[in-house]
Every structure is written in structure tokens, then in C-alpha cells.
Amino acid sequence: MKRLLFIYNPKAGRQRVRGMLPDLLEVFAREGYETTVHPTMAQGEAASVTTARAGQYDRLVCCGGDGTLNETVGGLLALPEDKRPVLGYIPTGTTNDFARTLGLPRSTEKLAEVACGGVPRAVDVGDSAGRVFTYVSAFGLFTDVSYSTPQTTKNLLGHFAYVLEGAGRLLNIPSYHMEVVADGGREISGDFIYGMVSNTLSVGGMMSLPRDQVKLDDGRFEVLLVRPPRTPKDWQSIIASLKAQQAQREDGAVTGFTASRVSFRCDQPVAWTVDGEFGGEREETTIQNLPKALLIACGV
């Protein structure tokens, strides 16, 4: 009989997985798997359990939010490539950005079927100063909300565009003077209130680029930089650009481009988030694309 390791975060989202467990396990059994179930009790546990045990199984399925997925992927990449099982993902978090990008179904039964029997798809993974990420590494405006907000209140967060809209009424928004170098040649410098390197359609509910432009396995990331607004009209321009999924010229308020490697240098320590979790504080950060490093189960 095939063996499946099921790792889940019981606290993700509104603890939705508690009501899903019987149906999930029934589908796994129906698909011919003997399932080992492991609920995580602490931060980092999904990664350590994955590294220690996943190599002994035919399929690994993780269930939780973007943070749980990030930990599981990090644990997988610590294994030799030939020891990594295909990963299935059942999202139960607050935003589930990467699940939207993967086009995963919504019903419990369909999610379980895809997780344990979906078509394996190779996707790129990011390395942000040694921290693995599946969909985004970012700095700046409100990026600390996801990791500083208690789990019980995460469900109250709105879409990123509306966060920006509210932020437009604030004063003294911090900015960072950055020197950005992409793929060893492209150079951009200036003050930025927000920046992200992503492999996703959605971050906090904000659509970054049209679906036909975001390729999960092309070895390149989408990079977005936002400069400080100086007038209310600047804010309107920034919000309109983000909602319309449009970047401007390199000296405009919103700059977007693609790259496989990006380095950021600042004259002060900058805090980064990695898939919504705190990713360290540094003056220099290099982000590298790891092409097709992960096999994840998809519906198509």
C-alpha cells in the first residue's frame, strides 16, 4: 500500500481543518494511501518533521496557511532531490495566496483528491538570504502585519490595495534608500516604501500581474518597487497602478520587471517578510531563483 504523510496546522485560519479531517482521511484511504497524521504544535515543526520523515513516504500533504506551506517546502528542500516526494497542499489559512496561483479547487473532497493524486508540476522556489520562499519575499509598508498580528485576528485583514488606500492618509511613512541590482546588470536606485520579489498572482489579495505573464517554472521572479508618494494624487496613481496590474517606467511611482537574481543594498537594516513570516533584518539581501526545485500536485 502507498504511504502518505499528512502534516497540518490545527490553528491555521479559523481552525477549519478540524472539521475537514474525516473527509480528508477518507479520500486519502479511497485513493489507496495508508496515512500518517502529524498535527504541528510549534513554529518550525512542519519543516523538521518533513526533513526527518518525508523521505520514507510516497506522498507528502501539508494543510494550513502560507506559513505552513513555507515550512514544509523548506523541509523538503533540505532532503536530497531523489528523496523528495510530490507535495500536495490543502490551504486553510487566512489569505492562501499561493493556492490561488495554483488554481486549487475549493471543496474539501476535490482538494484532497488533488493533493494525493493531482498532476505533479515543477515550480520555482526562492532563496532570500538563505530563507526559502514559495511565493514572495518583501520589505516595507505593512509587511509586518502578517507576522505581528495574532492568529485570532488575521481573518480581519483586508486586501493589500485597501491597506495602501488607508495608508495614504498616514504621515511619516518610512522609506528605504535602496540600490537594486537585477541579474548582474540592471540597476535601480532611489527611495522605496515597498518592494517585493514574487512568484505569484496574489499577495495579500493584491493581484501583482496578469495570469498569462506569471510563469511558475520559468526561472524568473516578478519584482515590484513602490516609491514614496508626495501628494494625494501620487497615492491615487499608485493604487490605480496596482489595481490595474500595471507598472510604470523605472523612475515612476510603481516599477515592475522580471529577474532570476536580485540584490538589495540599503544604508540601514531592512526587515523582510518571507511568505508572510519574519525573514530577518539586514542591510544587504540577495534573492535567487531555484528553478523547478519543487514538485507540487495540481489539478491540471
Side-chain angles (χ1 to χ4, degrees), residues 143-176:
T143 52
D144 65 335
V145 168
S146 58
Y147 64 78
S148 63
T149 303
Q151 183 67 60
T152 53
T153 61
K154 281 190 176 182
N155 292 316
L156 301 178
L157 299 181
H159 293 314
F160 186 81
Y162 297 101
V163 173
L164 277 180
E165 209 157 6
R169 297 189 293 268
L170 301 177
L171 299 176
N172 300 319
I173 298 168
S175 64
Y176 304 90

Side-chain angles (χ1 to χ4, degrees), residues 209-289:
L209 283 174
R211 182 173 289 275
D212 62 352
Q213 293 185 27
V214 177
K215 308 297 183 184
L216 298 183
D217 60 353
D218 63 354
R220 301 185 69 80
F221 290 128
E222 283 66 48
V223 184
L224 182 73
L225 301 169
V226 181
R227 297 179 186 271
R230 291 178 173 81
T231 67
K233 186 176 180 180
D234 288 345
W235 271 114
Q236 294 172 7
S237 175
I238 290 171
I239 294 166
S241 295
L242 294 174
K243 288 182 176 179
Q245 307 170 3
Q246 294 176 346
Q248 301 169 359
R249 62 186 186 277
E250 289 193 1
D251 61 347
V254 179
T255 299
F257 57 93
T258 65
S260 58
R261 179 184 175 90
V262 192
S263 295
F264 299 82
R265 178 178 294 179
C266 186
D267 56 6
Q268 66 184 94
V270 177
W272 286 79
T273 63
V274 174
D275 287 349
E277 303 294 330
F278 181 61
E281 195 173 35
R282 296 171 298 277
E283 294 180 4
E284 296 186 20
T285 294
T286 296
I287 298 176
Q288 177 73 46
N289 187 288

Side-chain angles (χ1 to χ4, degrees), residues 25 65 84 90 116 126 138 161 166 185 230 246 290:
L25 297 178
R84 301 173 196 166
I90 298 175
C116 68
R230 291 178 173 81
Q246 294 176 346
L290 307 177

